[in-house]
Amino acid sequence: MGLMPYENEPYLDWSDGTNVEKMRAALAEVGAALGRSYPAIIGGERVETDGEIVSVNPSDPSRVVGRTARATEREADAALETATRAFESWSRAAPEARARILLRAAAIMRRRKFEFLAWEVYEGGKPWAEADAQVAEGIDFLEYYAREMLRLKDGVEIYAVPGEESRYFYQPMGVGVVIAPWNFPTAILAGMSSAAIVAGNTIVMKPSEFTSVIGAKVAEVFEEAGLPEGVLNFLPGYGSEVGDYLVSDPRTRFVSFTGSMKTGLRINELAARRTEDQRWIKRVIAEMGGKDAMVIDDSADLESAAADIVKSAYGNAGQKCSAASRAILHADVYDEVLAKVLEGAQALKLGVPDDPGVSVGPVISDAQFEKVSGYIETGKGEGERLLGEDPGDPKAGYFVTPTVFGEVDPRARIAQEEIFGPVLSVIKARDFEDALRIANDTPYGLTGGVYSKNRDHLERARREFRAGNVYFNRGITGALVGVQPFGGFGLSGTDSKAGGPDYLPQHMLAKTVVERF
Ligand code: NAD
């Protein structure tokens, strides 16, 4: 199959007035389409449910973005049944044909890019550039996994003994349940789903209840791309209502999950229990939370380090699993870096992200607002709040000002637990050794960074920094598909490395066939 080599989707240039105009037009168009209803889609059929999920704009919760179906066990059962039936034919479809559907989905998403950006602004609370980076990532996943399937379709080379042929290749696995978070509602949902599908599996796709409308838009793209009915079954619903059912059901062959540690561990536990008649051990691909640290030593470029701490801590209002929520500063540079971080964080503009000048939008929901507010209260007793105000009335939007706590004890709750909001804990370390020890001392292990010009320090961190993605002398967020395969150690997940060469095989069964001649 002739294809252009893989390249990351370029980001939009917002200094170009045409892009600004297109974005404004998309905001107006999508703005006029708010409030619509989206049913579940099972085997191509639109399915209404008794209840509904009402999705609101986090910048103004009185505005309804849309209403979606709210699946119960009845619809979950129908979706699993349909996916089981569809697996018979889809698993036999040629890998090239499956890949072409992803390539077409990428082209459609590219054509509908501004529309997706606008949904991200309204439902996800994303500033323009963040929305753009995320939709670009969604396109990248589609392009990348299509090429990965073509690379793997005939298996991989192995050795053989004389007189025999040995083949090692991959086969589709079965029905997958794809469960996604709200913080990257386009990219992660499209990424997890496309990998499962291109590998020849059929899926039940459950978006987050907070971003179900974007989930419906992602489902639309696959449908428009010509994916046969029943291969992707769109099942919006509350995790607490259908999650356990989907995970425990014996028809489920694997679960592809991205979300919190708590939910990930529950899924892992439930999936491990064999139910009667189940003929396999369910596979769980889980990407969970983080408490990611940036270590700055005394040789670092302090200006650049501080700028990257700010970018990594407050991008997406801190709602990235990769966000820098701890800055661990060598005692000799502590004051200087902290002053620069405060200056940078103060310059950020918090507000409603339909304005292009806004750099920090709201947090996603009332529950998230309460959680982050709670941690800010806790933080006041655990460190010194150097920046940030008490959160206001959530009815006026779920806004939390960028917050910095100084002199935080490494074992404090705000230094150990994932807050998932615009809150940074700054920790003082005696020396590099101490800094690395502190960085590694949480149950998580997703991303991490070191700013240093000291070769020994960098080499040591290369080996000893316990995180799946470690970055030197740069920010620690925004992993690029195909360039920075992403996934964590420890309680951050199964190290699945989305957007990397080991990702697709986790969605397939590897088979060895040997023939003696
Ligand atoms: P969450 O765990 O609350 O929800 C994630 C998904 O799980 C949602 O679709 C939810 O409906 C579903 N769910 C809830 N209970 C369930 C159950 N019992 N069974 C099955 N599914 C259930 O997480 P969230 O708040 O949506 O997302 C934020 C979290 O995701 C953060 O912890 C963040 O670090 C993590 N995250 C990790 C990565 C990564 O790649 N490691 C990427 C993005 C987000």
Side-chain angles (χ1 to χ4, degrees):
M1 223 171 126
L3 272 185
M4 295 282 289
Y6 173 77
E7 260 183 39
N8 293 110
E9 177 73 6
Y11 295 153
L12 292 165
D13 173 5
W14 295 112
S15 68
D16 177 346
T18 342
N19 286 334
V20 175
E21 260 171 51
K22 283 186 188 166
M23 186 64 191
R24 288 202 194 286
L27 284 168
E29 204 171 307
V30 170
L34 299 180
R36 292 192 182 154
S37 294
Y38 302 86
I41 308 174
I42 301 174
E45 300 281 328
R46 268 56 189 161
V47 177
E48 306 284 351
T49 53
D50 294 339
E52 62 176 10
I53 295 177
V54 181
S55 175
V56 300
N57 183 338
S59 302
D60 176 0
S62 69
R63 287 179 79 190
V64 173
V65 173
R67 297 163 195 277
T68 69
R70 173 174 172 175
T72 63
E73 290 183 7
R74 189 176 55 210
E75 291 81 27
D77 170 57
L80 285 171
E81 200 50 38
T82 305
T84 304
R85 273 203 312 275
F87 182 71
E88 291 300 314
S89 50
W90 182 245
S91 58
R92 293 192 174 89
E96 292 86 347
R98 302 195 304 244
R100 282 186 194 105
I101 290 186
L102 264 58
L103 295 169
R104 185 158 161 69
I108 293 167
M109 201 177 267
R110 202 175 278 120
R111 284 195 279 275
R112 291 177 59 178
K113 187 183 267 190
F114 285 94
E115 182 208 331
F116 265 92
L117 261 58
W119 286 112
E120 285 284 349
V121 169
Y122 288 125
E123 195 181 40
K126 302 279 188 277
W128 295 14
E130 298 276 359
D132 179 38
Q134 196 202 147
V135 175
E137 187 183 358
I139 294 170
D140 284 349
F141 277 133
L142 294 162
E143 294 277 356
Y144 179 76
Y145 293 143
R147 285 168 178 76
E148 278 295 286
M149 194 61 235
L150 297 174
R151 177 176 72 83
L152 295 168
K153 70 184 170 57
D154 298 319
V156 294
E157 286 292 314
I158 49 168
Y159 297 104
V161 297
E164 287 187 354
E165 181 219 5
S166 288
R167 285 262 293 124
Y168 182 78
F169 60 100
Y170 300 99
Q171 292 188 321
M173 195 155 46
V175 174
V177 171
V178 172
I179 302 177
W182 45 263
N183 67 330
F184 288 91
T186 306
I188 292 182
L189 187 65
M192 290 198 295
S193 302
S194 59
I197 287 167
V198 81
N201 306 298
T202 54
I203 62 169
V204 175
M205 179 176 100
K206 200 205 86 55
S208 163
E209 46 270 47
F210 299 109
T211 49
S212 292
V213 173
I214 293 177
K217 298 290 156 192
V218 171
E220 254 173 49
V221 167
F222 281 107
E223 201 172 46
E224 240 180 285
L227 191 66
E229 289 170 356
V231 175
L232 183 161
N233 300 283
F234 172 58
L235 195 79
Y238 285 93
S240 54
E241 293 177 359
V242 285
D244 288 358
Y245 181 85
L246 289 168
V247 170
S248 310
D249 193 278
R251 288 166 291 189
T252 298
R253 180 65 186 82
F254 68 100
V255 181
S256 180
F257 167 79
T258 305
S260 64
M261 173 178 80
K262 186 165 166 245
T263 311
L265 291 177
R266 179 177 178 81
I267 288 175
N268 200 44
E269 194 176 326
L270 282 184
R273 287 189 207 151
R274 175 177 175 267
T275 48
E276 217 177 317
D277 296 335
Q278 186 180 309
R279 295 187 166 194
W280 47 64
I281 297 170
K282 287 175 190 163
R283 199 176 282 175
V284 175
I285 304 162
E287 286 304 327
M288 291 137 56
K291 191 68 194 175
D292 313 304
M294 286 179 73
V295 167
I296 316 300
D297 81 1
D298 53 343
S299 69
D301 174 340
L302 304 184
E303 196 75 49
S304 172
D308 277 330
I309 290 173
V310 170
K311 214 166 88 199
S312 302
Y314 302 110
N316 249 355
Q319 302 170 107
K320 290 187 182 181
C321 48
S322 54
S325 55
R326 297 181 295 154
I328 305 172
L329 314 180
H330 187 293
D332 293 351
V333 298
Y334 181 91
D335 291 338
E336 194 176 343
V337 177
L338 181 56
K340 289 180 199 296
V341 167
L342 288 169
E343 197 183 317
Q346 217 148 15
L348 296 170
K349 187 171 169 207
L350 176 73
V352 180
D354 48 14
D355 169 352
V358 163
S359 43
V360 180
V363 299
I364 190 72
S365 62
D366 203 16
Q368 196 61 22
F369 180 86
E370 291 304 327
K371 180 179 161 201
V372 177
S373 305
Y375 274 112
I376 290 176
E377 269 317 298
T378 306
K380 287 188 208 165
E382 291 187 328
E384 190 186 349
R385 185 168 64 173
L386 302 169
L387 186 71
E389 292 155 24
D390 288 345
D393 180 1
K395 288 198 188 73
Y398 307 129
F399 294 101
V400 181
T401 48
T403 300
V404 178
F405 285 103
E407 297 285 355
V408 177
D409 183 286
R411 300 294 302 173
R413 281 186 61 204
I414 58 164
Q416 286 288 317
E417 297 173 17
E418 187 184 47
I419 299 174
F420 223 56
V423 180
L424 176 71
S425 298
V426 185
I427 299 168
K428 192 182 275 180
R430 283 191 306 276
D431 50 27
F432 182 72
E433 166 115 17
D434 191 36
L436 197 54
R437 184 191 57 76
I438 295 168
N440 283 336
D441 185 25
T442 80
Y444 294 104
L446 192 45
T447 70
V450 175
Y451 250 95
S452 173
K453 290 183 189 141
N454 181 318
R455 176 50 46 198
D456 290 342
H457 289 177
L458 294 178
E459 292 303 328
R460 183 154 176 211
R462 193 177 280 270
R463 288 189 308 271
E464 295 177 22
F465 206 129
R466 234 182 356 253
N469 285 59
V470 177
Y471 301 93
F472 295 155
N473 295 318
R474 44 154 289 159
I476 63 169
T477 60
L480 286 173
V481 174
V483 179
Q484 293 133 11
F486 188 79
F489 297 174
L491 291 179
S492 289
T494 56
D495 193 36
S496 66
K497 290 294 186 281
D502 297 327
Y503 193 67
L504 272 201
Q506 297 168 69
H507 300 73
M508 298 185 281
L509 295 172
K511 190 165 185 175
T512 305
V513 178
V514 179
E515 180 170 352
R516 181 161 292 179
F517 299 116

